[in-house]
Amino acid sequence: MAVFKRKAPLGDRLAALGEAADIARPYLPQDELARLERVATAGAERRSLSAEHTVVGFFGATGSGKTSLFNAVVGEDLGKAAARRPTTSSPLAAIWQPEGSEQLLDWLGVEDRRPRQGEFAPGAGPLILLDLPDFDSVELSNREIATRLAGQVDILVWVSDPEKYADSVIHDEFIRPHAAHSAVTLAVLNKSDLLRGADIDVVARSFEQLLVRDGLRGVQVIPTSTLTGAGVDDLRAAITKVARAHTAQSARIEADIRAVTGEYVGLGRAGGVDKQAKREMDAALSQAAGADRIAETTAAAYRKRLHERTGWLLTSWVTKFRPDPLKRLGLREAPDEIGVHRTSMPELDAPSKAVANRGVRGYAAAAAEGLPHAWAAAVEDRAEEISRAVPAELDRAVARTKLPAEPSRGWSALTVLQWLALLAALVGVLWYLAAAFVPGALAPIFGGDLVPEVEGWPVPTLLIMAGLLTGLLVGLTTTVFGGVIGAGVKRRTRAAIQREVAAASESAVVDPLAQIRGDYDRFADHVAIAAG
Ligand SMILES: Nc1nc2c(ncn2[C@@H]2O[C@H](COP(=O)(O)OP(=O)(O)OP(=O)(O)O)[C@@H](O)[C@H]2O)c(=O)[nH]1
Ligand SMILES: [Mg+2]
């Protein structure tokens, strides 16, 4: 079963367009934003004003005969047509069935209002016909009035003549921006009396071709002459036909929406960023943070401490005089719980900074993927800013990492054993010394045999040997263990730093860039609603 998506009501579409503009404010160039806002505002305003009246405006180059044509359609010389240019400098309105049109005319900014008797044409409904200043005027205010009203009227009538109909400036600057408005556009080739009969059609077709090139499809060119009156009835009939449908007002607004949303529609949402990109960035950032060196140093600190505690006491005391590798690196091993402290490590060196920058930039490229230019540029700018803060973020991430340099308490049993072993050896030595120099002191304990033997071995010798051997063996064993466990410490430290770095990059890089992507997606959603 086919699913038909219904268009939202026009009011909702305009509201969605306004919201899209709000979302896009930090991203889109000023003029593009202004276009969106203008359509959203003008559409909503027009809808709040008289829906009965159809507003028709005559637009064209100076001297094309807008005023003469206006007078001809009205049937009375209301406006001043003249050979001196430009002539019309403020809008003039002929109003059929004027009741309820005041606010609409206020909004249009038309002061000169001429109410007419009766209907414009049977079935056309209330109608306002506007004679306007030239839109290619040397007078800036004329241009402004014509341009503003081109954005406000319901039906646009382009009035040209055999001399100017192909003028590229007129097409490029004035007609093409209204390419979406075919349904509410009429075109007039005035001064047709200047052409020979057979040429009128040729020039009219040529004008039509140019309009098609502008993007206006199905717009018929009506040849007129205010001198002979030819074609004036055709023009009146064409206006009546559009007005009679009573859809010009909303068709115009829809055309405006199409015109400003056209370039965004169909681009689709950006969605999430490729997961691999984050992994690659984190690998680069961990490298830049010195994860390997810190892991190696933590393992070295672990080995040193284990040796201090469980190593052979005759040699291990020497290690105590060597500085702790972690302290030498400027690292505190207790994690910074609040997450604001810095380590005392020196700032990242230039190569590390370059690695970190490359990591962030690589991620930013992935985060910009699928975004239109303005948003992609915003991602790039933000990434640039983030890059500057990254060295400090990495340092804080390292400060937050718990470094497992401390051997577990279980090892202290071996510390006791080492001391006992040393004590045994010491007792053996003292025994011999006492036997040699103060035998009287031993006599009360051992009687005649001051140095008893076991299996032919003197006991003090056994004590000395056992003490020394035990110490040496325990020392050797824990050195081997220290090496194995140290490798684990290194692995765990590296993983812990990677975890902290990944968390830091999530909040410092991923989140802010995701916000831009999210903004774009919301923009795309609203544009899609507006476009219908
Ligand atoms: N031959 C000929 N001349 C015309 C025709 N319509 C207007 N004119 C003349 O063209 C000149 C300009 O006419 P306007 O009606 O003032 O032209 P406009 O477009 O209102 O000019 P602006 O108000 O300056 O923008 C006048 O001298 C008119 O007499 C026509 O159909 N044929
Ligand atoms: Mg005029």
Side-chain angles (χ1 to χ4, degrees):
M1 194 181 73
V3 179
F4 293 99
K5 259 175 93 180
R6 283 172 68 98
K7 280 187 182 183
L10 195 53
D12 293 351
R13 291 171 60 192
L14 285 167
L17 187 67
E19 273 173 62
D22 278 345
I23 297 165
R25 196 171 314 270
Y27 307 105
L28 288 185
Q30 201 48 51
D31 54 336
E32 239 170 278
L33 198 63
R35 273 178 355 121
L36 294 177
E37 283 170 341
R38 203 163 42 235
V39 167
T41 319
E45 284 171 354
R46 177 66 186 93
R47 277 169 56 81
S48 71
L49 298 164
S50 170
E52 279 78 55
H53 287 85
T54 302
V55 184
V56 184
F58 282 180
F59 299 89
T62 184
S64 58
K66 297 178 295 298
T67 304
S68 309
L69 208 53
F70 174 86
N71 288 340
V73 170
V74 172
E76 193 180 323
D77 284 355
L78 297 181
K80 189 170 139 240
R84 224 185 103 247
R85 306 264 73 82
T87 307
T88 310
S89 56
S90 60
L92 167 63
I95 309 144
W96 288 266
Q97 299 168 275
E99 306 76 46
S101 66
E102 283 76 20
Q103 282 180 314
L104 177 56
L105 286 157
D106 288 348
W107 177 69
L108 291 166
V110 178
E111 305 280 343
D112 202 347
R113 307 171 184 185
R114 312 291 177 89
R116 308 299 300 163
Q117 295 297 322
E119 275 186 290
F120 175 76
L127 191 135
I128 297 171
L129 189 64
L130 297 175
D131 177 29
L132 298 169
D134 52 326
F135 58 35
D136 64 341
S137 190
V138 288
E139 298 286 340
L140 192 62
S141 67
N142 283 10
R143 262 170 189 264
E144 276 171 2
I145 291 169
T147 309
R148 175 174 63 77
L149 276 152
Q152 291 177 292
V153 301
D154 303 325
I155 299 175
L156 297 138
V157 182
W158 299 116
V159 180
S160 199
D161 62 29
E163 200 188 317
K164 288 198 175 167
Y165 80 95
D167 187 329
S168 60
V169 175
I170 291 171
H171 284 275
D172 294 347
E173 290 186 21
F174 301 103
I175 302 184
R176 193 162 300 146
H178 296 90
H181 298 67
S182 308
V184 289
T185 298
L186 299 173
V188 174
L189 181 69
N190 191 37
K191 301 191 186 176
S192 62
D193 54 276
L194 296 179
L195 296 167
R196 283 183 302 152
D199 290 343
I200 295 177
D201 210 38
V202 175
V203 175
R205 291 296 85 76
S206 166
F207 189 12
E208 247 166 46
Q209 289 303 311
L210 292 173
L211 292 174
V212 168
R213 227 179 50 191
D214 291 334
L216 287 162
R217 307 210 160 263
V219 175
Q220 203 196 332
V221 172
I222 305 160
T224 60
S225 167
T226 61
L227 218 63
T228 67
V232 173
D233 283 343
D234 295 340
L235 175 58
R236 196 181 289 116
I239 292 172
T240 304
K241 192 175 163 212
V242 186
R244 199 177 271 162
H246 289 294
T247 51
Q249 191 199 109
S250 50
R252 197 257 132 87
I253 295 171
E254 289 196 31
D256 280 340
I257 295 176
R258 257 201 311 284
V260 294
T261 57
E263 62 179 299
Y264 307 112
V265 171
L267 290 178
R269 314 181 92 233
V273 181
D274 178 24
K275 290 264 182 299
Q276 181 61 21
K278 164 89 159 91
R279 282 194 286 272
E280 281 168 16
M281 166 172 67
D282 287 347
L285 292 182
S286 294
Q287 188 195 335
D292 281 334
R293 190 165 52 123
I294 296 166
E296 185 57 70
T297 308
T298 306
Y302 179 90
R303 285 192 301 267
K304 176 179 184 290
R305 289 176 201 187
L306 190 64
H307 185 62
E308 272 168 24
R309 283 181 218 163
T310 66
W312 196 28
L313 287 167
L314 293 186
T315 55
S316 69
W317 62 274
V318 181
T319 28
K320 294 210 173 160
F321 293 100
R322 290 215 305 266
D324 189 274
L326 282 181
K327 295 216 174 65
R328 211 167 46 191
L329 201 60
L331 280 169
R332 304 178 333 148
E333 54 195 290
D336 161 34
E337 305 288 356
I338 339 168
V340 294
H341 289 128
R342 303 285 300 265
T343 68
S344 316
M345 291 204 301
E347 245 217 88
L348 289 197
D349 54 15
S352 301
K353 270 186 190 159
V355 169
N357 277 350
R358 218 174 309 128
V360 173
R361 224 169 281 145
Y363 183 81
E369 210 147 289
L371 295 179
H373 174 74
W375 310 76
V379 166
E380 237 167 71
D381 289 351
R382 190 81 181 84
E384 191 76 37
E385 214 174 284
I386 290 168
S387 279
R388 282 195 286 279
V390 153
E393 290 291 344
L394 290 180
D395 190 75
R396 272 191 285 270
V398 170
R400 272 196 301 272
T401 311
K402 180 174 164 38
L403 304 174
E406 189 64 15
S408 68
R409 286 185 179 280
W411 291 105
S412 38
L414 292 186
T415 313
V416 175
L417 187 60
Q418 282 289 19
W419 281 106
L420 286 177
L422 187 67
L423 197 66
L426 216 59
V427 167
V429 170
L430 288 175
W431 197 327
Y432 274 130
L433 287 175
F437 299 109
V438 280
L442 291 183
I445 312 170
F446 298 108
D449 189 5
L450 289 188
V451 182
E453 291 184 356
V454 176
E455 305 267 334
W457 290 87
V459 171
T461 303
L462 284 177
L463 279 173
I464 292 170
M465 276 171 51
L468 292 183
L469 265 178
T470 304
L472 204 60
L473 275 178
V474 168
L476 278 175
T477 313
T478 58
T479 302
V480 173
F481 268 107
V484 175
I485 299 171
V489 165
K490 186 173 157 185
R491 242 190 345 268
R492 275 190 286 134
T493 307
R494 199 192 296 117
I497 292 174
Q498 282 164 348
R499 267 198 307 280
E500 290 296 345
V501 165
S505 80
E506 186 76 30
S507 59
V509 186
V510 174
D511 290 350
L513 298 189
Q515 201 197 326
I516 298 177
R517 269 177 98 78
D519 281 351
Y520 171 69
D521 280 346
R522 286 197 302 132
F523 172 76
D525 290 345
H526 282 87
V527 164
I529 295 171

PDB file of all heavy atoms in Angstrom, residues 61-68 81-83 85-88 134 190-191 193-194 225-227, ligand 1:
ATOM      1  N   ALA A  61      11.181  47.473 -16.210  1.00  0.00           N
ATOM      2  CA  ALA A  61      12.187  48.508 -16.367  1.00  0.00           C
ATOM      3  C   ALA A  61      11.497  49.857 -16.587  1.00  0.00           C
ATOM      4  O   ALA A  61      10.327  49.915 -16.953  1.00  0.00           O
ATOM      5  CB  ALA A  61      13.088  48.181 -17.552  1.00  0.00           C
ATOM      6  N   THR A  62      12.247  50.912 -16.371  1.00  0.00           N
ATOM      7  CA  THR A  62      11.670  52.237 -16.540  1.00  0.00           C
ATOM      8  C   THR A  62      11.272  52.452 -18.004  1.00  0.00           C
ATOM      9  O   THR A  62      11.980  52.025 -18.923  1.00  0.00           O
ATOM     10  CB  THR A  62      12.651  53.333 -16.054  1.00  0.00           C
ATOM     11  OG1 THR A  62      11.976  54.590 -16.154  1.00  0.00           O
ATOM     12  CG2 THR A  62      13.914  53.386 -16.899  1.00  0.00           C
ATOM     13  N   GLY A  63      10.101  53.036 -18.199  1.00  0.00           N
ATOM     14  CA  GLY A  63       9.640  53.357 -19.551  1.00  0.00           C
ATOM     15  C   GLY A  63       9.051  52.200 -20.319  1.00  0.00           C
ATOM     16  O   GLY A  63       8.703  52.340 -21.493  1.00  0.00           O
ATOM     17  N   SER A  64       8.912  51.028 -19.651  1.00  0.00           N
ATOM     18  CA  SER A  64       8.348  49.894 -20.388  1.00  0.00           C
ATOM     19  C   SER A  64       6.838  50.063 -20.569  1.00  0.00           C
ATOM     20  O   SER A  64       6.221  49.337 -21.358  1.00  0.00           O
ATOM     21  CB  SER A  64       8.659  48.583 -19.660  1.00  0.00           C
ATOM     22  OG  SER A  64       8.133  48.620 -18.351  1.00  0.00           O
ATOM     23  N   GLY A  65       6.284  51.011 -19.827  1.00  0.00           N
ATOM     24  CA  GLY A  65       4.859  51.307 -19.987  1.00  0.00           C
ATOM     25  C   GLY A  65       3.979  50.760 -18.893  1.00  0.00           C
ATOM     26  O   GLY A  65       2.786  50.516 -19.108  1.00  0.00           O
ATOM     27  N   LYS A  66       4.528  50.601 -17.689  1.00  0.00           N
ATOM     28  CA  LYS A  66       3.747  50.057 -16.566  1.00  0.00           C
ATOM     29  C   LYS A  66       2.554  50.962 -16.243  1.00  0.00           C
ATOM     30  O   LYS A  66       1.419  50.492 -16.102  1.00  0.00           O
ATOM     31  CB  LYS A  66       4.638  49.908 -15.314  1.00  0.00           C
ATOM     32  CG  LYS A  66       5.774  48.921 -15.481  1.00  0.00           C
ATOM     33  CD  LYS A  66       6.640  48.839 -14.256  1.00  0.00           C
ATOM     34  CE  LYS A  66       7.384  50.133 -13.950  1.00  0.00           C
ATOM     35  NZ  LYS A  66       8.330  50.539 -14.999  1.00  0.00           N
ATOM     36  N   THR A  67       2.846  52.257 -16.141  1.00  0.00           N
ATOM     37  CA  THR A  67       1.779  53.192 -15.780  1.00  0.00           C
ATOM     38  C   THR A  67       0.729  53.281 -16.895  1.00  0.00           C
ATOM     39  O   THR A  67      -0.478  53.266 -16.626  1.00  0.00           O
ATOM     40  CB  THR A  67       2.369  54.583 -15.469  1.00  0.00           C
ATOM     41  OG1 THR A  67       3.357  54.438 -14.452  1.00  0.00           O
ATOM     42  CG2 THR A  67       1.291  55.545 -14.993  1.00  0.00           C
ATOM     43  N   SER A  68       1.203  53.333 -18.144  1.00  0.00           N
ATOM     44  CA  SER A  68       0.266  53.402 -19.276  1.00  0.00           C
ATOM     45  C   SER A  68      -0.629  52.166 -19.283  1.00  0.00           C
ATOM     46  O   SER A  68      -1.841  52.254 -19.508  1.00  0.00           O
ATOM     47  CB  SER A  68       1.029  53.462 -20.608  1.00  0.00           C
ATOM     48  OG  SER A  68       1.998  54.484 -20.555  1.00  0.00           O
ATOM     49  N   ALA A  81       1.722  58.891 -16.829  1.00  0.00           N
ATOM     50  CA  ALA A  81       2.698  58.282 -17.726  1.00  0.00           C
ATOM     51  C   ALA A  81       3.404  59.401 -18.460  1.00  0.00           C
ATOM     52  O   ALA A  81       2.795  60.402 -18.790  1.00  0.00           O
ATOM     53  CB  ALA A  81       2.000  57.363 -18.722  1.00  0.00           C
ATOM     54  N   ALA A  82       4.684  59.261 -18.675  1.00  0.00           N
ATOM     55  CA  ALA A  82       5.405  60.352 -19.343  1.00  0.00           C
ATOM     56  C   ALA A  82       6.648  59.839 -20.030  1.00  0.00           C
ATOM     57  O   ALA A  82       7.118  58.732 -19.765  1.00  0.00           O
ATOM     58  CB  ALA A  82       5.785  61.420 -18.325  1.00  0.00           C
ATOM     59  N   ALA A  83       7.177  60.682 -20.900  1.00  0.00           N
ATOM     60  CA  ALA A  83       8.396  60.311 -21.624  1.00  0.00           C
ATOM     61  C   ALA A  83       9.618  60.554 -20.750  1.00  0.00           C
ATOM     62  O   ALA A  83      10.667  59.954 -20.949  1.00  0.00           O
ATOM     63  CB  ALA A  83       8.492  61.087 -22.917  1.00  0.00           C
ATOM     64  N   ARG A  85      12.025  60.109 -17.638  1.00  0.00           N
ATOM     65  CA  ARG A  85      12.244  58.914 -16.806  1.00  0.00           C
ATOM     66  C   ARG A  85      13.056  59.237 -15.560  1.00  0.00           C
ATOM     67  O   ARG A  85      13.888  60.132 -15.616  1.00  0.00           O
ATOM     68  CB  ARG A  85      13.009  57.840 -17.598  1.00  0.00           C
ATOM     69  CG  ARG A  85      12.404  57.446 -18.915  1.00  0.00           C
ATOM     70  CD  ARG A  85      11.562  56.199 -18.715  1.00  0.00           C
ATOM     71  NE  ARG A  85      10.328  56.528 -18.008  1.00  0.00           N
ATOM     72  CZ  ARG A  85       9.239  57.026 -18.588  1.00  0.00           C
ATOM     73  NH1 ARG A  85       9.191  57.245 -19.854  1.00  0.00           N
ATOM     74  NH2 ARG A  85       8.177  57.296 -17.876  1.00  0.00           N
ATOM     75  N   PRO A  86      12.981  58.463 -14.466  1.00  0.00           N
ATOM     76  CA  PRO A  86      11.829  57.615 -14.208  1.00  0.00           C
ATOM     77  C   PRO A  86      10.636  58.462 -13.761  1.00  0.00           C
ATOM     78  O   PRO A  86      10.836  59.519 -13.168  1.00  0.00           O
ATOM     79  CB  PRO A  86      12.306  56.719 -13.085  1.00  0.00           C
ATOM     80  CG  PRO A  86      13.327  57.521 -12.358  1.00  0.00           C
ATOM     81  CD  PRO A  86      13.956  58.432 -13.366  1.00  0.00           C
ATOM     82  N   THR A  87       9.457  57.993 -14.043  1.00  0.00           N
ATOM     83  CA  THR A  87       8.261  58.790 -13.776  1.00  0.00           C
ATOM     84  C   THR A  87       7.593  58.404 -12.460  1.00  0.00           C
ATOM     85  O   THR A  87       7.380  59.244 -11.592  1.00  0.00           O
ATOM     86  CB  THR A  87       7.254  58.623 -14.931  1.00  0.00           C
ATOM     87  OG1 THR A  87       7.929  58.902 -16.138  1.00  0.00           O
ATOM     88  CG2 THR A  87       6.089  59.565 -14.753  1.00  0.00           C
ATOM     89  N   THR A  88       7.298  57.117 -12.322  1.00  0.00           N
ATOM     90  CA  THR A  88       6.600  56.677 -11.106  1.00  0.00           C
ATOM     91  C   THR A  88       7.619  56.447 -10.002  1.00  0.00           C
ATOM     92  O   THR A  88       8.585  55.718 -10.189  1.00  0.00           O
ATOM     93  CB  THR A  88       5.839  55.373 -11.398  1.00  0.00           C
ATOM     94  OG1 THR A  88       5.078  55.545 -12.578  1.00  0.00           O
ATOM     95  CG2 THR A  88       4.940  54.997 -10.228  1.00  0.00           C
ATOM     96  N   ASP A 134      10.035  51.726 -11.315  1.00  0.00           N
ATOM     97  CA  ASP A 134      10.886  50.809 -12.089  1.00  0.00           C
ATOM     98  C   ASP A 134      11.875  50.090 -11.176  1.00  0.00           C
ATOM     99  O   ASP A 134      12.454  50.690 -10.286  1.00  0.00           O
ATOM    100  CB  ASP A 134      11.647  51.587 -13.157  1.00  0.00           C
ATOM    101  CG  ASP A 134      12.377  52.784 -12.567  1.00  0.00           C
ATOM    102  OD1 ASP A 134      11.847  53.376 -11.600  1.00  0.00           O
ATOM    103  OD2 ASP A 134      13.468  53.119 -13.050  1.00  0.00           O
ATOM    104  N   ASN A 190       4.856  44.807 -23.912  1.00  0.00           N
ATOM    105  CA  ASN A 190       4.139  46.054 -24.230  1.00  0.00           C
ATOM    106  C   ASN A 190       4.792  46.739 -25.439  1.00  0.00           C
ATOM    107  O   ASN A 190       5.860  46.323 -25.889  1.00  0.00           O
ATOM    108  CB  ASN A 190       4.132  46.954 -22.995  1.00  0.00           C
ATOM    109  CG  ASN A 190       3.192  48.128 -23.167  1.00  0.00           C
ATOM    110  OD1 ASN A 190       2.122  48.001 -23.764  1.00  0.00           O
ATOM    111  ND2 ASN A 190       3.593  49.293 -22.669  1.00  0.00           N
ATOM    112  N   LYS A 191       4.140  47.782 -25.911  1.00  0.00           N
ATOM    113  CA  LYS A 191       4.613  48.553 -27.077  1.00  0.00           C
ATOM    114  C   LYS A 191       4.712  47.661 -28.313  1.00  0.00           C
ATOM    115  O   LYS A 191       5.639  47.810 -29.131  1.00  0.00           O
ATOM    116  CB  LYS A 191       5.990  49.204 -26.804  1.00  0.00           C
ATOM    117  CG  LYS A 191       5.970  50.150 -25.603  1.00  0.00           C
ATOM    118  CD  LYS A 191       7.246  50.954 -25.524  1.00  0.00           C
ATOM    119  CE  LYS A 191       7.294  51.777 -24.245  1.00  0.00           C
ATOM    120  NZ  LYS A 191       8.537  52.514 -24.062  1.00  0.00           N
ATOM    121  N   ASP A 193       3.027  47.760 -30.724  1.00  0.00           N
ATOM    122  CA  ASP A 193       2.788  48.552 -31.935  1.00  0.00           C
ATOM    123  C   ASP A 193       4.079  48.964 -32.621  1.00  0.00           C
ATOM    124  O   ASP A 193       4.097  49.332 -33.787  1.00  0.00           O
ATOM    125  CB  ASP A 193       1.965  49.813 -31.581  1.00  0.00           C
ATOM    126  CG  ASP A 193       2.602  50.623 -30.476  1.00  0.00           C
ATOM    127  OD1 ASP A 193       2.374  50.274 -29.278  1.00  0.00           O
ATOM    128  OD2 ASP A 193       3.359  51.562 -30.754  1.00  0.00           O
ATOM    129  N   LEU A 194       5.204  48.852 -31.885  1.00  0.00           N
ATOM    130  CA  LEU A 194       6.489  49.212 -32.488  1.00  0.00           C
ATOM    131  C   LEU A 194       7.011  48.109 -33.410  1.00  0.00           C
ATOM    132  O   LEU A 194       7.969  48.308 -34.149  1.00  0.00           O
ATOM    133  CB  LEU A 194       7.533  49.484 -31.399  1.00  0.00           C
ATOM    134  CG  LEU A 194       7.256  50.672 -30.469  1.00  0.00           C
ATOM    135  CD1 LEU A 194       8.362  50.809 -29.429  1.00  0.00           C
ATOM    136  CD2 LEU A 194       7.116  51.968 -31.275  1.00  0.00           C
ATOM    137  N   SER A 225      -0.469  46.802 -26.429  1.00  0.00           N
ATOM    138  CA  SER A 225      -0.101  48.165 -26.836  1.00  0.00           C
ATOM    139  C   SER A 225      -1.087  49.117 -26.198  1.00  0.00           C
ATOM    140  O   SER A 225      -2.296  48.976 -26.388  1.00  0.00           O
ATOM    141  CB  SER A 225      -0.138  48.310 -28.362  1.00  0.00           C
ATOM    142  OG  SER A 225      -0.066  49.691 -28.697  1.00  0.00           O
ATOM    143  N   THR A 226      -0.575  50.041 -25.438  1.00  0.00           N
ATOM    144  CA  THR A 226      -1.478  51.005 -24.801  1.00  0.00           C
ATOM    145  C   THR A 226      -1.858  52.086 -25.813  1.00  0.00           C
ATOM    146  O   THR A 226      -2.806  52.826 -25.615  1.00  0.00           O
ATOM    147  CB  THR A 226      -0.827  51.663 -23.571  1.00  0.00           C
ATOM    148  OG1 THR A 226       0.343  52.366 -24.003  1.00  0.00           O
ATOM    149  CG2 THR A 226      -0.448  50.615 -22.546  1.00  0.00           C
ATOM    150  N   LEU A 227      -1.077  52.108 -26.891  1.00  0.00           N
ATOM    151  CA  LEU A 227      -1.361  53.098 -27.940  1.00  0.00           C
ATOM    152  C   LEU A 227      -2.593  52.678 -28.743  1.00  0.00           C
ATOM    153  O   LEU A 227      -3.509  53.469 -28.972  1.00  0.00           O
ATOM    154  CB  LEU A 227      -0.138  53.186 -28.868  1.00  0.00           C
ATOM    155  CG  LEU A 227       0.233  54.569 -29.402  1.00  0.00           C
ATOM    156  CD1 LEU A 227       0.609  55.490 -28.247  1.00  0.00           C
ATOM    157  CD2 LEU A 227       1.404  54.447 -30.387  1.00  0.00           C
TER     158      LEU A 227
HETATM  159  N1  LIG B   1       4.703  53.148 -28.616  1.00  0.00           N
HETATM  160  C1  LIG B   1       4.254  52.920 -27.397  1.00  0.00           C
HETATM  161  N2  LIG B   1       4.620  53.723 -26.398  1.00  0.00           N
HETATM  162  C2  LIG B   1       4.140  53.457 -25.166  1.00  0.00           C
HETATM  163  C3  LIG B   1       3.323  52.349 -24.902  1.00  0.00           C
HETATM  164  N3  LIG B   1       3.059  52.318 -23.583  1.00  0.00           N
HETATM  165  C4  LIG B   1       3.712  53.361 -23.025  1.00  0.00           C
HETATM  166  N4  LIG B   1       4.356  54.055 -23.974  1.00  0.00           N
HETATM  167  C5  LIG B   1       5.193  55.232 -23.769  1.00  0.00           C
HETATM  168  O1  LIG B   1       6.340  54.903 -23.037  1.00  0.00           O
HETATM  169  C6  LIG B   1       6.696  55.955 -22.153  1.00  0.00           C
HETATM  170  C7  LIG B   1       6.776  55.443 -20.753  1.00  0.00           C
HETATM  171  O2  LIG B   1       5.534  55.066 -20.322  1.00  0.00           O
HETATM  172  P1  LIG B   1       5.182  54.881 -18.786  1.00  0.00           P
HETATM  173  O3  LIG B   1       3.834  54.253 -18.713  1.00  0.00           O
HETATM  174  O4  LIG B   1       5.394  56.122 -18.038  1.00  0.00           O
HETATM  175  O5  LIG B   1       6.284  53.874 -18.392  1.00  0.00           O
HETATM  176  P2  LIG B   1       6.580  53.319 -16.946  1.00  0.00           P
HETATM  177  O6  LIG B   1       6.953  51.921 -17.110  1.00  0.00           O
HETATM  178  O7  LIG B   1       5.468  53.599 -16.022  1.00  0.00           O
HETATM  179  O8  LIG B   1       7.872  54.157 -16.532  1.00  0.00           O
HETATM  180  P3  LIG B   1       8.414  54.468 -15.074  1.00  0.00           P
HETATM  181  O9  LIG B   1       7.298  54.959 -14.257  1.00  0.00           O
HETATM  182  O10 LIG B   1       9.501  55.438 -15.251  1.00  0.00           O
HETATM  183  O11 LIG B   1       8.967  53.190 -14.540  1.00  0.00           O
HETATM  184  C8  LIG B   1       5.621  57.005 -22.319  1.00  0.00           C
HETATM  185  O12 LIG B   1       6.103  58.022 -23.165  1.00  0.00           O
HETATM  186  C9  LIG B   1       4.465  56.291 -22.951  1.00  0.00           C
HETATM  187  O13 LIG B   1       3.686  57.097 -23.767  1.00  0.00           O
HETATM  188  C10 LIG B   1       2.946  51.521 -26.000  1.00  0.00           C
HETATM  189  O14 LIG B   1       2.226  50.553 -25.873  1.00  0.00           O
HETATM  190  N5  LIG B   1       3.438  51.840 -27.208  1.00  0.00           N
END
